[in-house]
Amino acid sequence: KQEVTQIPAALSVPEGENLVLNCSFTDSAIYNLQWFRQDPGKGLTSLLLIQSSQREQTSGRLNASLDKSSGRSTLYIAASQPGDSATYLCAVTNAGGTSYGKLTFGQGTILTVHP
Amino acid sequence: SAVISQKPSRDICQRGTSLTIQCQVDSQVTMMFWYRQQPGQSLTLIATANQGSEATYESGFVIDKFPISRPNLTFSTLTVSNMSPEDSSIYLCSVIDRVGQPQHFGDGTRLSIL
């Protein structure tokens, strides 16, 4: 059974810092990995999708890397801003059969960026 | 990406009643899913909504408790039946436009059972 772990559970940083969020998964046979953010009282916003054949994806100040063989992904946020404050969720889709699209989520990292 | 609308956005219900949640997408999508997010927890997949046939449920979720319909490629409903306080959660609809594309979520339905 796939298990996804995110470290740290919470992170508080001053504005302007570069930061890294970590995600690990137990079964390396994945189809893809997706990073989301969730604002309080809101649904999920997709940030980056990394296919299993890819090593990284970038969008603006966000960069996500994937090391499938070791079961790890990192989300790098450059020059953090108070608007980045949210819960960041990592989720994987297992490869094979009827698993496509079925996301297994980590518990999330609660990020607070203070001015 | 597809625009997803969920209704209602929130509700407070009495124990023993049922509530149907609607998920409407502004374009045809390949796949639709329903997730639950219990208070302070991450998301758990309830089922895959299959167009024109019975949904595929994950372990721990059954059709009698969470009947799902998907009559076409843009619409699905989830019913939470015979509700108890333990069903108080956020219920989220998600879609994949096409294979290989990101999964997108609606804003969720916040359900409280008294």
Side-chain angles (χ1 to χ4, degrees), chain A residues 41-62:
Chain A
K42 299 288 188 180
L44 276 65
T45 300
S46 176
L47 297 174
L48 290 164
L49 171 70
I50 310 178
Q51 305 294 347
S52 62
S53 58
Q54 297 175 323
R55 297 284 294 182
E56 66 178 333
Q57 283 286 331
T58 298
S59 176
R61 294 182 294 108
L62 305 180

Side-chain angles (χ1 to χ4, degrees), chain B:
Chain B
S1 61
V3 176
I4 305 165
S5 300
Q6 262 189 254
K7 292 181 181 179
S9 59
R10 62 178 67 242
D11 208 339
I12 300 173
C13 300
Q14 295 296 319
R15 186 192 301 250
T17 61
S18 298
L19 178 74
T20 296
I21 302 168
Q22 298 181 358
C23 178
Q24 178 73 56
V25 192
D26 68 343
S27 60
Q28 293 185 347
V29 294
T30 303
M31 305 184 78
M32 297 182 77
F33 305 90
W34 287 97
Y35 288 82
R36 180 176 73 181
Q37 186 174 29
Q38 294 177 298
Q41 302 296 313
S42 193
L43 284 79
T44 300
L45 178 64
I46 297 172
T48 304
N50 299 310
Q51 191 253 331
S53 63
E54 189 172 292
T56 304
Y57 290 85
E58 298 301 303
S59 175
F61 298 96
V62 295
I63 188 171
D64 289 346
K65 177 66 176 177
F66 298 102
I68 289 170
S69 76
R70 187 182 174 192
N72 55 51
L73 293 177
T74 64
F75 185 77
S76 178
T77 65
L78 167 72
T79 299
V80 186
S81 303
N82 188 26
M83 290 184 286
S84 66
E86 294 71 36
D87 295 320
S88 296
S89 297
I90 302 172
Y91 293 87
L92 299 105
C93 166
S94 71
V95 306
I96 297 177
D97 293 0
R98 300 184 307 278
V99 172
Q101 294 298 305
Q103 191 161 154
H104 295 284
F105 284 76
D107 282 342
T109 296
R110 284 146 189 81
L111 184 58
S112 298
I113 290 83
L114 302 179

Side-chain angles (χ1 to χ4, degrees), chain A residues 88-104:
Chain A
Y88 289 79
L89 294 162
C90 166
V92 300
T93 297
N94 283 3
T98 59
S99 296
Y100 186 79
K102 298 180 180 180
L103 292 172
T104 301

Side-chain angles (χ1 to χ4, degrees), chain A residues 30-81:
Chain A
I30 64 169
Y31 193 89
N32 56 40
L33 181 146
Q34 199 166 350
W35 283 93
F36 298 89
R37 68 175 280 169
Q38 185 174 31
D39 294 282
K42 299 288 188 180
L44 276 65
T45 300
S46 176
L47 297 174
L48 290 164
L49 171 70
I50 310 178
Q51 305 294 347
S52 62
S53 58
Q54 297 175 323
R55 297 284 294 182
E56 66 178 333
Q57 283 286 331
T58 298
S59 176
R61 294 182 294 108
L62 305 180
N63 176 277
S65 68
L66 174 64
D67 185 341
K68 196 179 78 163
S69 61
S70 68
R72 296 185 181 187
S73 176
T74 61
L75 179 66
Y76 176 83
I77 303 177
S80 58
Q81 303 170 357

